[in-house]
Every structure is written in structure tokens, then in C-alpha cells.
Amino acid sequence: MIVYLTLTIVTLTIAYRIVSKDMQAEIRGGGQYNYIYRGVSRRQVRNGIGLFSLFVLLTGISAIRLNVGNDYSNYVEFMHRTYSNAIVPTEPGFNYLTKLIYTLSGFENYVAVFAVFAAATVFFFLAAIYRQTEDFFLSFMMFMLLGYYFQSISTVRYYLAMGVALYSIRFCLNRDWPRFIILILCGALFHKSLLVVLVLYPLAAMKWKRWMQGVLAILCFSCIFLKDIYLKIALRLYPSYEGTEYLSGGTSAISIIRCVAVLAFAAFVLGKDIIREKKMSFYFYANLGALLMYVFCSFLPTISRIAYYFTVTQILYVPALLQRLLTEEDYKRYKAGRVMQVVTIMCCVLYFAKYMRGAAGDGVRILPYETFFFHELPATLSERGFG
């Protein structure tokens, strides 16, 4: 626990001094004019040092771990089998990366594989936050305190895919479809669930007309009466879920509360202009889509994993909403922004405390923290003769 608490405090202290790329442009332009600066400013140097420090710290803690994370031993077993040319359920990107690292190392160097995944995951999240947020510190704080970083230790491939998804949003908003599609397809080589983003993000970026909203409403309510049919379709797409505990479905009360709170906050801040700006419209529809999934599609296997591709936008959406209040000339609105800023921080801290209380439990298991410097990995299934 002390390792994670120290890491969180140190990284948040560093992040407090970093100004996002989006805000730098606004500062230089004074919000009205384009300002061309050739060279490197002190702010850019400070940001570069800060980002590099965050990358090293976050990657380092994740890279040197041993048997930490819910799927760590399973991944080691998958790596061993794929190196032995056995059939494994993991994607081609994961398999070929494992073979490459094992071949270059000359032995089954699973620690190096986890280190590469850690570096890639941290890179995409940091790059996405720095390039797209309006308040780097607040977005990074949500990234840490809402458990995104710590879950990447537990669920390796999926959180790499989520980092790629978050990074791809700017390409989607700019309608840079070649880069968007290529990036998602490359990410899907490590977790195929990322492919849903090819549909979900363009839908969130659309300008929804009333007839489209009507069709969506009918589709949502049809889930109440036709869930058996939809479940059969889902099983044809993902036959590996048949006969597993995933068929029980399920939803997340906390995630529903978060979506409702964020949407209500957006309505308070933006009012009738809630979908006027392209970026804010995307975030709104993403969170609305996640809420509809949690409420109407809870019977589908791992629906939460699909919805997470939408809810991860909250670490960009909430800071953007707060910035709208904090830049208001109306003192009451500005004061409300300060209050909501404090409330947001308090909610994140409470969530972090709750998350850490269950960090040693099944499904997370990031505690106790161990490293390969002082510990050894327990025998895998293959080593015990069950592989």
C-alpha cells in the first residue's frame, strides 16, 4: 500500500506543474489571437521534464512488479504456451510480441513483456491526457484516483486498448479517419474488444437528429423484451463466452451514478448548449451511451468493458466542464465552479480509498506489491505438470 500511496502523491505533485498542450495554445493566443513562437519556452521544458518523470515513475512501478495483478500468472502461462507454439486465447499482437521478446532475451523473459505493456499503456494515457485535456492536473488526478492506472496493472491488455482508444478520440473528432482506423486496428491486435470503438466513437461524434434518437430509444426498450435474441447474437460474435460465468451479465451501480452525475453536471454548466461544441457533444453522447448500456444491456456478457470505452472520457469531460465555470465572468458561476472542483477532488479521493480497500481482493489483486528484486513467481500450471 505504501508504494502506491507514495507513487500517487509524488506523481500528483509533479502533474500539478504541468500545463496541457490545449491550454498552452490558449495562453499563447490570449484566447483570441494566433501567436507563432519559434523555439522552446521554459514552460515546454518544464512540461517535458514533468511528463518524462511521470512516464518513468508509472512505468517503473508497473514494470518491476512480480505476481501483482489479477491475471499475472495466467499471462505468464499464456506466454509460455505461445512461445511453445501452443494454442492460446490471446490476440496475435500479444503472441508475436511475446515470441519476439523471448527470442531476443534468450529465455522466457515475461518481466520484459509486462514492462513493454506498462510503457505502452502509460504512454498512450499520458499522451492522450496532455494533448486533449483542458486541465492536466485534474485529468491526471482522475486517472490515478479513479483507478485507471492501477487497473492497468491488473488487466494488462484491456487497459492498453483503453489507452489507445482515449488517444484516438482526437483523430475521430478531426475526422482523420485513416489514422483513427489504423490506430484502432493496431490496438485490436492486443485486445479485440477495441474494435467496438470503430462504431461507438463515430456514433458519439455524430450530430444526432430526432429520428435517430427515436430509433435509439426503440432499440433500448427492445432490450427489455428481446434480450434472449440479442444474447444469442452476442454469443455468435463471442462464442468463447458460452458456458462461462460471463453469461450472468451484470451492471455497475457506481458507474451508473457516475454517468448520471456527469450528465447532470454538464446540463448545469452548458444548459441548451450541451451539444453545441463538437468536443463537448462527443463527451456528452459518450456518457449517455454508457448510461444506456448499463441500464438496458446489463444482460450482455462483459457489457461493462464496452461501456468503459465511453466512460473513460470522463477524465477529459469533467475538467472541461469545470473550466467553463472557472472562466465565467459571473461571480456566482465562478464560485460554483470552485465548489464543484473541490467536490470532484473529494469524490475521487473517496473512490480511491474504496478502491484500495479492495485492492487485495479477487478481480483486482494488486496488493501486496512485490517485485522481482525480492520475490519469486510461484510455479505456473505448466511447471506443476497441468499445462
Side-chain angles (χ1 to χ4, degrees), residues 50-291:
L51 288 168
F52 180 74
S53 300
L54 292 178
F55 176 79
V56 171
L57 288 169
L58 296 176
T59 300
I61 291 298
S62 182
I64 66 174
R65 75 189 191 278
L66 184 74
N67 199 29
V68 177
N70 190 59
D71 296 329
Y72 194 98
S73 59
N74 290 334
Y75 276 128
V76 174
E77 177 69 17
F78 291 153
M79 292 176 200
H80 169 73
R81 292 186 178 186
T82 192
Y83 188 56
S84 304
N85 295 317
I87 297 176
V88 290
T90 46
E91 287 80 4
F94 176 88
N95 300 337
Y96 285 119
L97 177 64
T98 297
K99 288 183 178 181
L100 176 62
I101 292 176
Y102 277 21
T103 301
L104 294 176
S105 300
F107 65 99
E108 297 192 13
N109 191 357
Y110 50 83
V111 172
V113 178
F114 283 112
V116 171
F117 268 89
T121 303
V122 171
F123 169 80
F124 278 111
F125 270 108
L126 284 181
I129 292 172
Y130 179 67
R131 288 177 177 273
Q132 298 176 95
T133 187
E134 295 187 21
D135 186 334
F136 183 86
F137 173 73
L138 192 56
S139 287
F140 182 80
M141 181 203 70
M142 295 178 71
F143 168 66
M144 294 296 293
L145 299 187
L146 294 181
Y148 289 104
Y149 168 71
F150 298 104
Q151 274 299 112
S152 73
I153 293 176
S154 180
T155 314
V156 178
R157 290 160 39 248
Y158 176 69
Y159 273 81
L160 170 60
M162 190 182 295
V164 172
L166 190 68
Y167 187 81
S168 74
I169 290 176
R170 66 194 188 100
F171 298 130
C172 181
L173 291 177
N174 293 332
R175 296 185 177 276
D176 189 348
W177 301 121
R179 290 188 184 183
F180 174 72
I181 293 172
I182 291 172
L183 181 61
I184 297 303
L185 291 178
C186 289
L189 292 174
F190 297 91
H191 203 284
K192 62 183 178 182
S193 70
L194 184 60
L195 292 174
V196 301
V197 170
L198 291 174
V199 176
L200 297 182
Y201 281 5
L203 284 176
M206 286 174 51
K207 291 184 177 180
W208 284 73
K209 299 180 179 180
R210 288 189 177 181
W211 70 267
M212 296 179 180
Q213 296 171 352
V215 171
L216 179 62
I218 293 173
L219 183 62
C220 288
F221 281 107
S222 71
C223 291
I224 300 175
F225 307 101
L226 303 176
K227 63 180 181 180
D228 292 336
I229 296 176
Y230 292 149
L231 184 58
K232 289 181 180 179
I233 296 174
L235 287 177
R236 286 191 177 184
L237 295 175
Y238 292 94
S240 59
Y241 288 145
E242 191 166 5
T244 67
E245 69 276 9
Y246 294 119
L247 286 183
S248 59
T251 189
S252 171
I254 293 179
S255 295
I256 291 176
I257 293 171
R258 275 174 53 180
C259 288
V260 171
V262 169
L263 291 172
F265 183 43
F268 169 73
V269 175
L270 301 176
K272 295 180 179 180
D273 296 329
I274 197 166
I275 58 173
R276 183 177 181 180
E277 186 181 343
K278 181 170 61 175
K279 177 176 68 175
M280 303 302 277
S281 174
F282 177 89
Y283 296 151
F284 170 78
Y285 283 121
N287 282 272
L288 179 61
L291 179 60

